[in-house]
Amino acid sequence: MIQTKWKSPSNIALVKYWGKHGRQLPRNASISFTLHHCHTITEISIEEKKVDGQISIDFFFENKKQDQFKSKILSFLNSILSEMPFLVQFHWHIHSSNSFPHSAGIASSASSMSALMACICDLEKQLGFQKEGTDFLKRVSYFSRLASGSACRSVYPLAASWGQSNYLPLSSDEYASPFDADLHIDFHDFHDDVLIVSRNEKSVSSTVGHNLMHNNPFADIRYEQADLNMKLMLQALKSGDIEEFGRITEAEALMLHALMMTSSPSFVLMEPSSLEIIKKVQNFRKETSIPLYFTLDAGPNVHLLYPHSVEEKVNQFISAELSQHCDQNQVIRDFVGKGLEKL
Ligand code: DP6
């Protein structure tokens, strides 16, 4: 039996992807830090099956059969069948697990979809179906994007951008590009602690959320702002300007939530505790001059971003002031990581 196993991390967007068109193409370029501890491990083994033109899979999540995920994966694999016709030649046994609790309210599509596509692209290569000279990570990124936009950024170490941008000559809407070579050394060991405000499932799926941008009255202004923020963020990440990095990161998070609040129907995804945390972080920074910044994805959990040099002081602050706002005091400590890894 042929098999493979890959680990892929989650990522946290600094400039956010929000709004898409066509076949999973982003309305604006985005950039993220690749994480380390929050990851998915996926293992696939395959066996030949009779030719009947159908894709056939088993899907186990944390050793339990998961039919809801199975049907999502199956419909995604069917959508890429013309690019990966060999999928119908085998039966696919897929086993997946996350390092973070499934109910932690952390989006897992980025790590799970990139781990899945790393396995499939690797098997494609092992079976001799991949063109010689294929850029493996680019191919994984391309297919991960088709599964879930933000997943395409998870494959690269440290930081990755996605989406055509005038400020990034090699950028594309179809796959992510690495940004590690240009990333200032001060960001290489940056921390991202996730404050779990709520473990409830998201009340708006990302696809529904992205689609709300079609009629959002601020959509055009948003895409202009995202372009400007990409320009400024890239400069800050290159030069090591942590203050400017933090200013843009927080503005992006608040703008994302403002867009959700101004959509029709409107979604308020922050909880009172999210706001308490945000206010405390802003005050802490003012009082101590310690560079601690927040961001949020499309949910209530707050990510805290800060340089390694202030770890101890931030830890004390989290324990004394912030963890009380979290569900069961839960905080997931993470930092910038290496990207996709074969196990
Ligand atoms: C707020 O990648 O989950 O996290 O392409 O529909 O799967 P789909 O959306 P998804 O959207 C993530 C949005 C975000 C911002 C970001 O990660 O850039």
Side-chain angles (χ1 to χ4, degrees), residues 42-114:
T42 298
E43 188 170 7
I44 299 187
S45 55
I46 53 172
E47 53 191 326
E48 288 208 45
K49 71 163 180 69
K50 73 170 179 359
V51 184
D52 60 1
Q54 302 290 317
I55 301 179
S56 131
I57 67 169
D58 288 330
F59 183 77
F60 292 84
F61 183 71
E62 272 143 29
N63 289 323
K64 281 196 207 93
K65 256 204 162 132
Q66 255 286 359
D67 286 336
Q68 206 189 336
F69 290 163
K70 176 182 163 172
S71 52
K72 278 191 184 161
I73 292 173
L74 208 51
S75 80
F76 166 64
L77 294 180
N78 273 301
S79 77
I80 58 169
L81 190 54
S82 60
E83 289 158 285
M84 291 202 160
F86 65 93
L87 287 171
V88 294
Q89 291 182 25
F90 302 89
H91 179 75
W92 302 73
H93 298 279
I94 309 172
H95 282 259
S96 199
S97 59
N98 286 347
S99 63
F100 46 93
H102 178 56
S103 57
I106 295 187
S108 59
S109 66
S111 56
S112 59
M113 290 303 140
S114 48

Side-chain angles (χ1 to χ4, degrees), residues 13 16-17 20 24 109 148-150 153 206-207 210 256 297-298:
K16 308 287 183 183
Y17 146 57
K20 61 179 169 180
Q24 286 276 102
S109 66
S148 176
S150 58
R153 298 183 309 236
S206 54
T207 296
H210 288 288
L256 171 70
D297 273 341

